[in-house]
Amino acid sequence: MSKIIITCAVTGGIHTPTMSEHLPITPDEIASQAIAAAEAGAAILHLHARDPKDGRPTPDPAVFMEFLPRIKQATDAVVNITTGGGLTMTVEERLAAPLKAAPEMCSLNMGSMNFALHPLAEKYSDWKHPWEQPYLAGTKDFIFRNTFGDIERIYKLLGEGHGTKFEHECYDVGHLYNLAHCLDRGWFRPPVFLQLIFGILGGIGADLDNLMFMKRTADKLFGRDYHWSVLAAGRHQMAFCTQAAMLGGNVRVGLEDSLFIGRGKLATSNAEQVAKIRRIVEELGYEIATPDEARATLGLKGGDRVNF
């Protein structure tokens, strides 16, 4: 029985400071919460950066470098840096920090899509910062760009150029076929690591039948040449992760994906979510993978070959 890899997505670029006082914003908060999540059992830390002045997503490598060395010094967790960045960033901006840091792993969205957060703009009336409401509302008319040309470029710059492997974020079944096409063209080295994502408006819905359909499709397309994980947005987070674990998959939690720990109750930290899914997984009879076990499973280059 394979051990289960827990990924923790620490802050992301979706939620805004108004939504939770526990969302890490500053480099110190991101580092502290990431380290605590690793101590709670996360083998992989998926990281974005935010402007410490107002919490908006930032691609600035200098901000990343305020927390990446601290995390590396304090934990042996795999560092996974976003190439998705924030929804208003260009591909060049999204690549700036990963190219400087050369991490073991990066996220990679496997297709262009509507990435719609505008319903969140209607849920709050008193905003901490003036950028938040327009940022969310603007996604009603926004396409998140991830063309085949972008994917090829990211693979060549990071995969070939720095030995980085990818968390292939698949928001719909078509993204699995996109990845199969990329493999046919020789762009990635199997085994690939799929992150099956449910519940984002514009992607596949948070229906457990869809999880089974995505898994069957991955089996058909990739055979034994893949590993897989699941995340689900908001209230679906823990239910989908539990179902994935029962099927032998890996799991992702974190305040990027959900701000809550239970019905109507905000999570006080990323570590709280990691501890909860770890408890669930272990009560199901599974063991949790260590960072080095995750490295071996996913074929990563090792933490001694990064630039931070």
Side-chain angles (χ1 to χ4, degrees), residues 87 112-115 138-146:
L87 299 180
S112 300
M113 60 181 291
N114 293 333
F115 201 110
T139 63
K140 187 176 183 179
D141 194 33
F142 173 74
I143 296 173
F144 186 26
R145 171 180 166 158
N146 299 282

Side-chain angles (χ1 to χ4, degrees), residues 109-130:
N109 297 68
M110 291 312 301
S112 300
M113 60 181 291
N114 293 333
F115 201 110
L117 308 174
H118 59 274
L120 292 174
E122 302 166 1
K123 291 189 174 183
Y124 303 87
S125 57
D126 186 17
W127 299 92
K128 287 185 179 180
H129 304 287

